[in-house]
Amino acid sequence: MRVLLLATLVNAFGNGAYLTTSVLFLTTVAGLSPAMIAIGLSTGAAAGVLAMTPLGYVADRYGPKRLSILAMVVLAGAYTALLAVHSVVPFALLSCVIAVATALAKGANGALAAGAVPAAERLRMRARMRSLTNAGMGVGTLAGSGPLLLRGDTGYVVILLANALTFLVAALLLTRAPQVPPQVAPAGGPRLVALRDRPFLCFAALDGLLSSTYNDLLGLGLPLWLATGAHAPLWLISVALVINTAGCVLLQVRMASGVSGLPAAHRSALRGSLVVALSCGVLAAASGRSPWLAATLIAVAAVIHVVGEVWLSTGSWGIVFELAPPWAQGQYQGTYFAGRGLGDMIAPPLVTACVLGLHGYGWLVLALFFAAGGLLYRPVTRWAARTRPADHPALV
């Protein structure tokens, strides 16, 4: 478990550093236009969504440890190959490789986390992984800010290669992770059972949309709102993001304690959705206020938001672990992340339309969206529970 957590931390550090400078690297070093970058990233995102469930099945069939190591090695090579990219077609192809390898890593790591610890410890393990991911991303972001101050292309290249190196270090660490044996599906059932599990597909779509949207509230919605006349200083963007990162690191493991079983998991998800809705209401109340009152309300909203986010994410993981058959953790994890991928396509235009088109009232619309979405967790998980025989055989 410690090896997997350390690999997660190292990988998150590299990703955080690269994300800070990725756009500048692609525009200045690779010479790509914003339109080329958008085309390449969108192509890769689509490939990743399509590959999630099949690659999760592969991780179950051949063992998640070796597939996770393979994904890390491929990612190291793909990011290094970005140095040779100077046009849209090679960038789109490499984006597909990166997205597919990332999909494999997510499914394999989810199955590895599920299989390396007792069932009662899975949720706590997942919470630790997310806590360290946030910590690593935060420190990596600080490390990646160096080239931004120096404004030199060499710094962007160094950060890219450092990110590639962290994938190799993570792969090396994972060689010492526990060996989770390949899983054998019951005879006579479909291979991609998750794609026939309609209740789980509904859950993955619902949770993916809600999760992607709460991620975009502070990273996209708040900056757009502040930049278009919210009468509050722009440095509140950094304040809100620091509060979010610190809250996830400090609260995630603590708030995962005591969440056991499907009823507790969907109650946690519902509670989180309602609290995120409350944070949107506080942001709506900040509209039109004096700068310092608006700043205070935005900081309060950021605190409320991270509490809701932690509850919601904890409930989501608990539902996935409870609904997935023991022999199909990889493909169910992959399907869950595919739902997140679909959410990532819908959430940005949704949030943008609300905060730019409706201004302060847009936050109230988003509050209603989270409240309504949270209320759907209970019927969806109850529907899923009714289709789950006690021994989780293949669904037909």
Side-chain angles (χ1 to χ4, degrees), residues 150-379:
L150 299 176
R151 295 181 178 273
D153 291 356
T154 302
Y156 306 147
V157 173
V158 169
I159 292 295
L160 173 69
L161 294 176
N163 183 38
L165 180 61
T166 63
F167 284 107
L168 294 178
V169 173
L172 184 62
L173 289 169
L174 288 172
T175 61
R176 301 178 58 191
Q179 188 70 43
V180 176
Q183 302 297 309
V184 179
R191 292 186 176 183
L192 298 180
V193 62
L195 296 182
R196 299 197 179 194
D197 189 346
R198 287 180 292 175
F200 186 82
L201 292 177
C202 288
F203 158 73
L206 169 66
D207 187 78
L209 181 56
L210 290 177
S211 299
S212 296
T213 305
Y214 76 60
N215 280 332
D216 282 344
L217 290 181
L218 300 184
L220 177 63
L222 182 61
L224 289 175
W225 188 54
L226 292 178
T228 54
H231 307 295
L234 292 176
W235 51 259
L236 284 169
I237 300 170
S238 298
V239 171
L241 293 177
V242 168
I243 290 173
N244 184 265
T245 300
C248 288
V249 172
L250 297 175
L251 297 177
Q252 192 73 70
V253 176
R254 182 187 300 273
M255 295 177 71
S257 301
V259 178
S260 178
L262 194 57
H266 77 62
R267 283 196 300 270
S268 179
L270 169 60
R271 188 185 307 121
S273 298
L274 295 178
V275 173
V276 173
L278 176 60
S279 74
C280 292
V282 175
L283 287 170
S287 181
R289 307 297 179 183
S290 65
W292 285 108
L293 179 55
T296 301
L297 290 173
I298 289 171
V300 171
V303 174
I304 297 173
H305 176 279
V306 74
V307 173
E309 176 182 340
V310 169
W311 263 326
L312 180 50
S313 58
T314 298
S316 300
W317 305 329
I319 293 170
V320 177
F321 285 137
E322 290 293 328
L323 295 183
W327 44 267
Q329 285 287 342
Q331 64 170 289
Y332 271 73
Q333 293 281 344
T335 304
Y336 165 70
F337 283 114
R340 292 290 297 269
L342 292 174
D344 288 342
M345 298 178 187
I346 299 172
L350 171 65
V351 172
T352 301
C354 286
V355 301
L356 292 186
L358 301 175
H359 306 290
Y361 293 106
W363 293 112
L364 293 178
V365 173
L366 289 169
L368 292 174
F369 168 78
F370 279 102
L375 292 173
L376 291 176
Y377 275 106
R378 186 173 184 178

Side-chain angles (χ1 to χ4, degrees), residues 101 123 309 381:
L123 195 55
E309 176 182 340
T381 53

